């Protein structure tokens, strides 16, 4: 086992990365050399395989290593890396988690509308909500020498490392839909807090006082979900009402294809409990339309009338919302405008315009339908 600092001043992954970098600089590791498997390096340094993967990813982002799927990780040609930024293409990348509903496709369309008016072309990649695929897409775009990137982050705990690597390569970057804590980047998203606040205030104006909130697992890391829950809670407090504990529905990420969402009894068990208690809420604010449509379907299956017995509000205004058996009241995101603003910011960064790194929150609109 290799001995590193007994009292390390930096995380182990950075120490491992520094050690490998030194070996590259000293010539102990040469261009084209294949690194040992992650498990062997982990044993050598007394760390975990995950820590080694983060260290190697740091060097991949710096251009010192490259990966070949199914073959391993190799030492890169640093001279080519140093020349890469001088040979940028006229391509701009956008990476999103999926391409099967308007929440994302409208954002992509908005970006494309702006970018096609410039000298650049838009290249789209999606991740299937998989962090490993997100890394692969970023690596593919780096090989294309993109001039900038718009990223809809998955908010994985390891995502900060990936973004740090992009920034070290001076690749202009704008985030959409979600911001990442402690990362100074231009981010464009809906005003989730105000949208949720307005939705709950509207329910209160209809006479509802016992209003529940239903979220989706996992929501703790997703800034949009956190801000919507905060908006719900503050609207309740401002009306001198007690916010109820947020119910977590164990629902999958999104709709699939052109069908309305279906849920299992296990996924809806906490919602089921909320709807069956004697003092159940008379209205619920749901963290997104997918959750709201699932609650709507489940309530109707229990014989609960919507909106007579239970009013339901969602968030996003996806096409399914107005097609439900009881059309859904929801908060519409400015999806197209988010994509357009992100593209404008990215093009300004590429052109060298000095910008203050901040989060741009665009206004939402409450769309009232039959569910309330």
């Amino acid at each position: 086992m290799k001995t590193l600092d007994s009292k390390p001043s930096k995380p182990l992954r950075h120490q491992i990365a520094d050690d490998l970098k030194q070996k590259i600089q000293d010539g102990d590791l040469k261009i084209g050399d294949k690194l040992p498997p992650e498990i062997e390096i982990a044993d050598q340094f007394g760390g975990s395989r995950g820590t080694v993967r983060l260290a190697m990813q740091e060097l991949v982002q710096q251009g010192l290593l490259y990966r070949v799927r199914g073959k391993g990780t190799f030492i890169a040609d640093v001279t080519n890396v140093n020349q890469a930024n001088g040979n940028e293409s006229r391509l701009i990348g956008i990476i999103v988690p999926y391409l099967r509903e308007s929440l994302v496709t409208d954002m992509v369309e908005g970006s494309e509308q702006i970018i096609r008016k410039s000298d650049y072309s838009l290249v789209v990649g999606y991740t299937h909500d998989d962090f490993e695929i997100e890394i692969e897409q970023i690596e593919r775009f780096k090989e294309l020498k993109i001039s900038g990137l718009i990223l809809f982050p998955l908010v994985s705990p390891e995502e900060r490392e990936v973004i740090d690597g992009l920034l070290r390569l001076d690749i202009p970057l704008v985030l959409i839909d979600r911001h990442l804590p402690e990362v100074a980047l231009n981010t464009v998203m809906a005003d989730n807090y105000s949208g949720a606040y307005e939705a709950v205030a509207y329910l209160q104006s209809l006479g509802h006082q016992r209003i529940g909130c239903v979220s989706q697992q996992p929501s703790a890391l997703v800034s949009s979900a956190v801000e919507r829950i905060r908006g719900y809670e503050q609207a309740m407090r401002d009306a001198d009402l007690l916010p109820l504990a947020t119910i977590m529905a164990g629902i999958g990420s999104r709709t699939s294809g052109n069908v309305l969402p279906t849920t299992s009894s296990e996924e809806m068990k906490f919602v089921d409990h909320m709807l069956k208690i004697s003092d159940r809420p008379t209205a619920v604010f749901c963290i997104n339309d997918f959750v709201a449509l699932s609650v709507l379907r489940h309530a109707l299956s229990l014989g609960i009338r919507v909106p007579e017995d239970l009013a339901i509000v969602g968030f996003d205004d996806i096409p399914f919302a107005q097609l439900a058996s009881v059309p859904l009241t929801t908060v519409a995101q400015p999806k197209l405008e988010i994509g357009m603003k992100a593209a404008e910011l990215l093009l300004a960064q590429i052109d060298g315009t000095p910008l203050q790194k901040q989060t741009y929150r665009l206004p939402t609109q409450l769309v009232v339908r039959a569910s309330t």
Side-chain angles (χ1 to χ4, degrees):
M1 180 187 300
K2 184 176 180 62
T3 302
L4 297 179
D5 296 344
S6 58
K7 295 181 178 180
S9 57
K10 60 176 67 174
L12 179 59
R13 67 177 183 273
H14 294 316
Q15 295 186 64
I16 296 173
D18 288 347
D19 185 81
L20 292 172
K21 188 185 301 183
Q22 189 63 51
K23 289 180 178 178
I24 294 172
Q25 293 171 349
D26 292 344
D28 296 334
L29 293 172
K30 298 178 175 58
I31 295 172
D33 283 353
K34 180 180 178 181
L35 290 182
E38 291 173 356
I39 190 65
E40 290 185 21
I41 299 177
D43 290 342
Q44 178 185 359
F45 288 93
S48 69
R49 187 173 180 179
T51 299
V52 172
R53 185 177 297 118
L54 285 173
M56 294 169 68
Q57 181 60 33
E58 180 178 329
L59 298 185
V60 168
Q61 296 294 345
Q62 293 177 27
L64 297 174
L65 303 178
Y66 66 93
R67 291 192 173 107
V68 178
R69 172 171 280 194
K71 294 184 178 180
T73 305
F74 300 84
I75 308 300
D77 186 342
V78 181
T79 57
N80 288 339
V81 171
N82 291 335
Q83 295 169 2
N85 287 337
N87 296 316
E88 290 176 345
S89 67
R90 305 300 292 180
L91 299 176
I92 287 175
I94 183 168
I95 296 177
V96 294
Y98 42 80
L99 281 172
R100 58 180 181 264
E101 64 175 57
S102 67
L103 175 65
V104 173
T105 57
D106 283 1
M107 292 180 186
V108 174
E109 181 181 346
S111 294
E112 197 275 334
Q113 285 184 16
I114 298 299
I115 290 170
R116 73 167 177 252
K117 298 175 184 177
S118 69
D119 295 331
Y120 295 89
S121 298
L122 187 67
V123 185
V124 182
Y126 63 104
T127 65
H128 303 276
D129 284 315
D130 187 316
F131 180 63
E132 293 297 326
I133 297 178
E134 179 180 286
I135 292 176
E136 290 178 9
Q137 294 285 24
I138 289 174
E139 290 303 308
R140 180 171 68 91
F141 283 175
K142 282 165 57 181
E143 291 174 2
L144 292 173
K145 297 182 174 62
I146 56 169
S147 298
L149 177 65
I150 298 170
L151 176 64
F152 188 131
L154 297 180
V155 201
S156 164
E158 300 175 347
E159 203 156 26
R160 173 67 182 271
E161 296 290 328
V162 175
I163 288 176
D164 284 346
L166 290 170
L167 297 179
R168 281 192 292 268
L169 291 175
D170 293 324
I171 296 177
L173 176 65
V174 174
L175 303 183
I176 55 173
D177 191 76
R178 304 164 179 172
H179 66 78
L180 298 177
E182 301 178 359
V183 178
L185 287 171
N186 281 315
T187 304
V188 187
M189 59 197 301
D191 190 344
N192 295 288
Y193 175 89
S194 297
Y197 190 105
E198 181 184 5
V200 176
Y202 168 69
L203 290 172
Q204 293 164 352
S205 75
L206 298 178
H208 296 285
Q209 294 189 341
R210 187 166 176 79
I211 302 171
C213 180
V214 183
S215 188
Q216 179 178 359
Q217 296 175 332
S219 63
L221 294 176
V222 180
S223 63
S224 56
V226 171
E227 291 175 3
R228 293 172 195 179
I229 294 172
R230 284 180 48 239
Y232 155 76
E233 292 173 342
Q234 193 59 52
M236 294 293 284
R237 294 190 186 99
D238 287 350
D240 294 325
L241 299 173
L242 179 67
L244 303 181
T246 299
I247 298 296
M248 293 294 177
I251 302 171
S253 59
R254 290 282 168 181
T255 52
S256 178
N258 295 314
V259 296
L260 291 173
T262 58
T263 52
S264 67
S265 57
E266 178 65 21
E267 289 172 325
M268 298 299 288
K269 64 180 180 181
F270 296 117
V271 174
D272 193 62
H273 175 74
M274 176 189 72
L275 295 177
K276 289 181 178 178
I277 59 177
S278 58
D279 58 342
R280 70 167 183 245
T282 61
V284 290
F285 166 70
C286 298
I287 212 69
N288 60 46
D289 287 348
F290 185 35
V291 172
L293 292 169
S294 298
V295 173
L296 171 63
R297 171 173 287 183
H298 192 67
L300 294 176
S301 73
L302 296 175
I304 297 173
R305 298 173 302 167
V306 178
E308 294 86 353
D309 302 324
L310 181 71
I312 302 175
V313 177
F315 204 114
D316 289 338
D317 195 26
I318 63 176
F320 292 112
Q322 59 184 319
L323 300 175
S325 56
V326 181
L328 182 68
T329 294
T330 184
V331 179
Q333 288 203 53
K335 302 180 279 287
L336 197 71
E337 291 80 2
I338 288 173
M340 295 173 71
K341 181 66 174 179
E344 290 169 354
L345 290 170
L346 189 64
L347 289 172
Q349 286 181 230
I350 293 171
D351 291 341
T353 304
L355 297 174
Q356 181 180 357
K357 302 296 174 60
Q358 60 180 298
T359 297
Y360 296 82
R361 291 182 171 84
L362 305 189
T364 59
Q365 180 181 3
L366 182 66
V367 180
V368 177
R369 298 192 181 101
S371 68
T372 53

